[in-house]
């Protein structure tokens, strides 16, 4: 009971007059409820008071709040952090972990110690003087023997040349026999030398291979122990839901086609909060997660901003844990249901350009939602081929080029791939961009644990280049024009938000900034060479903001 008392927090300010949420938060796309904002503010005040955590918090960490009602109807909130904080996963102000893998007497720490001992053994042998000396001796023997045999081969070739020279001048049968004996002797000597070299090499090789076998045996043991430990660990994460059902992580992820859950699954803030609420008879009303501290090097996180739950680790878990609660519908899909027609901006016999509204898919996704492709199929039944020449993000509005037959589609796609199509986007950024124009070079790749988010990665990212120019400043915001020279997923959104880009997220960007009534990004202009007529086509549609 003491643990629950320390984790259940009453609001420090009056919540009278604030309407309770009608349904629980859809965790992957939301605007924080006012009660969550109040709860987050109290958590942030608490964090600012923890001087002992200051340095670690500056490095950045995700926190979460869950607004709940207890058994006697009192309103309050819970707080949690993702992963470990200050070397521990238990702190009085925050809910405990679903499973405490840091307990000294627990199986995880004990087995981790055994695995660490194997790591030490592997490193010690690999770095030992005995192993280094054996590898060096084998390497020297191989090089020395190679040089020795090469020298002997050269001598044999020279001797053969001299014998052939004698034969060309004419020799007796006796001398011919002597030359044949000499040739046989040299070949036999070379064979004996080669065998002696091989024997010396084998002695050195066996010494190295014996140690390599020991290292490999330890590595295999480490791999086996790690796999068993991981499986056992994930089995300890027995996640509850509002229906009273319990599933471990292995079962949850197996239902999505993954045999092994990703590392860190179950240790994010959201699952911790819901687990604690269910265990202590607290009814969840709303949740929110926010980032505190500096942004990571590759990902985009801004201090104090709210972010949706991650897809890779949390989506399967939360799909289970939210069963039994009435949850808000996905607002993105709800918005897409509003549309059943598109505005045609330009059209001829072979091509057309439509104005795609924000919230509409370019091509069909997993969910059954209206898409440009679907509209094209319905309105142009005779059209052939893939139809959609390029794509815009679901949240982005603006000009989208469509082809009426597959040959024209192929030719237009070639223009996009060779960067012959000119594109201009207009965006409203949340912040002041000081440089009036410039180029952004930040390579991008998918964040595999949080699709569809992209991340900056110098090693694995594909080149992404954007030219920009400032158009105007509007009440602390910046209106810019973007000219993408490459076409990576979320390129403009990441280049705007990343600290090494413009460090000013596009307004309404729920993934990389703060959600609003829409994403303020619009594809305003398309210019291309017509694949049939050869004319230069320029199509424009002014941004609606």
């Amino acid at each position: 009971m003491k643990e629950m008392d320390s984790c259940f927090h009453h609001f420090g300010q009056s919540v009278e007059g604030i309407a309770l949420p009608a349904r629980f938060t859809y965790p992957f796309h939301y605007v924080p409820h006012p009660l969550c904002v109040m709860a987050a503010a109290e958590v942030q005040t608490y964090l600012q008071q923890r001087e002992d955590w200051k340095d670690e918090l500056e490095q950045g960490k995700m926190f979460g709040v869950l607004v709940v009602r207890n058994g006697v109807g009192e309103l309050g909130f819970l707080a949690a952090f993702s992963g470990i904080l200050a070397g521990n996963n238990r702190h009085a102000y925050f809910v405990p972990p679903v499973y405490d893998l840091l307990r000294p007497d627990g199986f995880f720490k004990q087995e981790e110690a055994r695995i660490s001992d194997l790591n030490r053994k592997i490193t010690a042998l690999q770095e030992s003087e005995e192993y280094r000396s054996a590898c060096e001796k084998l390497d020297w023997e191989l090089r020395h023997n190679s040089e020795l045999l090469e020298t002997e081969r050269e001598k044999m070739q020279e001797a053969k040349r001299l014998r052939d020279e004698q034969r060309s001048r004419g020799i007796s049968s006796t001398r011919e026999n002597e030359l044949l004996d000499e040739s046989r002797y040299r070949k036999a000597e070379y064979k004996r030398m080669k065998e002696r070299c091989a024997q010396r090499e084998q002695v050195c090789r066996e010494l190295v291979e014996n140690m390599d076998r020991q290292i490999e045996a330890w590595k295999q043991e480490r791999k086996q122990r790690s796999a068993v430990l991981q499986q056992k660990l994930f089995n300890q994460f027995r996640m509850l839901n509002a229906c009273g059902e319990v599933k471990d992580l292995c079962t949850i992820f197996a239902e999505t086609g993954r045999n092994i859950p990703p590392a860190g699954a179950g240790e994010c803030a959201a699952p911790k909060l819901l687990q604690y609420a269910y265990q202590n008879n607290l009814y969840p009303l709303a949740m929110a997660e926010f980032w505190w501290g500096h942004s990571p090097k590759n990902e985009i996180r801004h201090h104090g901003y709210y972010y949706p739950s991650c897809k890779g680790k949390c989506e399967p878990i939360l799909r289970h844990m939210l069963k039994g609660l009435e949850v808000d519908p996905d607002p993105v899909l709800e918005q897409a249901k509003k549309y059943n027609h598109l505005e045609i901006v330009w059209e001829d016999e072979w091509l057309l350009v439509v104005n795609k509204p924000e919230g509409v898919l370019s091509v069909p996704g997993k969910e059954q939602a209206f898409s440009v492709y679907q509209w094209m199929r319905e309105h142009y039944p005779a059209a052939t081929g893939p139809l959609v020449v390029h794509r815009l993000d679901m949240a982005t509005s603006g000009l989208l080029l469509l082809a009426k037959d597959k040959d024209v589609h192929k030719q237009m796609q070639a223009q996009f791939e060779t960067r012959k199509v000119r594109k201009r986007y207009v965006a409203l950024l949340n912040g002041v961009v000081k440089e009036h124009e410039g180029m952004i070079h930040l390579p991008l790749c998918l964040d595999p644990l949080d699709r569809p988010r992209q991340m900056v990665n110098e090693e694995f990212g594909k080149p992404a280049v954007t030219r920009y120019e400032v158009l105007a400043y509007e009440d602390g915001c910046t209106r810019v024009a973007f000219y993408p020279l490459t076409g990576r997923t979320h390129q403009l959104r990441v280049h705007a938000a990343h600290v090494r880009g413009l460090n000013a997220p596009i307004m309404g960007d729920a993934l990389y900034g703060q959600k609003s009534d829409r994403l303020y990004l619009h594809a305003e202009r398309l210019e291309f060479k017509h694949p049939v007529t050869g004319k230069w086509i320029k199509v424009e549609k002014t941004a609606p903001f």
Side-chain angles (χ1 to χ4, degrees), residues 480-510:
V480 300
F482 283 125
Y483 304 90
L485 304 184
T486 54
R488 309 301 177 201
T489 302
H490 294 181
Q491 176 174 316
L492 301 182
R493 297 167 70 173
V494 175
H495 281 186
H498 198 276
V499 66
R500 288 164 51 203
L502 299 183
N503 197 26
I506 297 173
M507 286 188 63
D509 193 339

Side-chain angles (χ1 to χ4, degrees), residues 20 115 180-181 190 225 248 261 295 323 397 419 437:
L20 295 180
I115 294 172
L180 287 173
D181 288 343
Y190 180 78
R225 284 184 175 276
D248 62 57
S295 179
K323 286 181 180 178
S397 63
R419 304 180 187 179
E437 60 181 0

Side-chain angles (χ1 to χ4, degrees), residues 237-252:
F237 282 79
R238 301 180 59 76
M239 315 307 290
L240 296 165
N241 64 25
C243 299
E245 299 170 338
V246 181
K247 288 185 180 180
D248 62 57
L249 290 184
C250 291
T251 301
I252 289 173

Side-chain angles (χ1 to χ4, degrees), residues 351-353 387-390 399-403 412 416 526 528:
L351 296 166
L352 70 152
V353 178
L387 308 182
V388 180
V389 177
H390 63 118
L399 301 177
L400 194 67
L401 181 63
L402 305 171
M412 283 310 309
F416 274 92
L526 266 180
F528 57 91

Side-chain angles (χ1 to χ4, degrees), residues 308-339:
S309 297
C310 65
K311 291 278 189 172
K313 288 190 287 188
C314 287
E315 185 173 30
I317 299 172
L318 295 182
R319 296 286 185 199
H320 161 71
M321 298 190 81
L322 293 178
K323 286 181 180 178
L325 297 179
E326 189 177 357
V327 181
D328 282 334
D330 182 346
V332 175
L333 293 179
E334 289 299 301
Q335 184 179 9
K337 292 176 182 177
K338 299 177 183 178
Y339 299 99

Side-chain angles (χ1 to χ4, degrees), residues 211-274:
M211 287 185 276
D212 281 340
R213 277 193 290 271
Q214 179 61 75
I215 291 171
E216 184 59 29
W218 284 334
K219 285 183 177 180
Q220 288 300 319
E221 183 182 354
R222 179 182 64 184
K223 182 179 179 180
Q224 184 180 15
R225 284 184 175 276
S226 296
V228 171
L229 175 60
Q230 192 176 50
Q231 185 79 15
K232 187 175 180 181
L233 175 63
F234 287 137
N235 286 335
Q236 306 305 309
F237 282 79
R238 301 180 59 76
M239 315 307 290
L240 296 165
N241 64 25
C243 299
E245 299 170 338
V246 181
K247 288 185 180 180
D248 62 57
L249 290 184
C250 291
T251 301
I252 289 173
F253 279 88
E255 292 172 353
T256 69
R258 294 190 61 165
N259 294 326
I260 302 176
E267 297 181 58
C268 293
K272 288 182 181 180
L273 291 165
L274 289 167

Side-chain angles (χ1 to χ4, degrees), residues 26-32 62 289-290 300-302 305-311 330-332 335 393 395-396 430 450-454 490 493-494 497 505-521:
Y26 178 76
F28 308 108
H29 200 90
Y30 63 89
V31 174
M62 192 72 78
E289 294 175 281
F290 64 88
I300 295 175
R301 297 282 190 267
H302 290 275
Y305 278 27
Y306 295 92
Y307 289 95
S309 297
C310 65
K311 291 278 189 172
D330 182 346
V332 175
Q335 184 179 9
D393 290 344
T396 304
N430 190 8
D450 199 5
R451 296 170 181 269
R453 288 177 63 94
Q454 305 293 306
H490 294 181
R493 297 167 70 173
V494 175
I506 297 173
M507 286 188 63
D509 193 339
L511 286 179
Y512 307 105
Q514 291 179 308
K515 191 178 184 302
S516 183
D517 58 319
R518 64 157 291 167
L519 176 70
Y520 283 75
L521 177 64

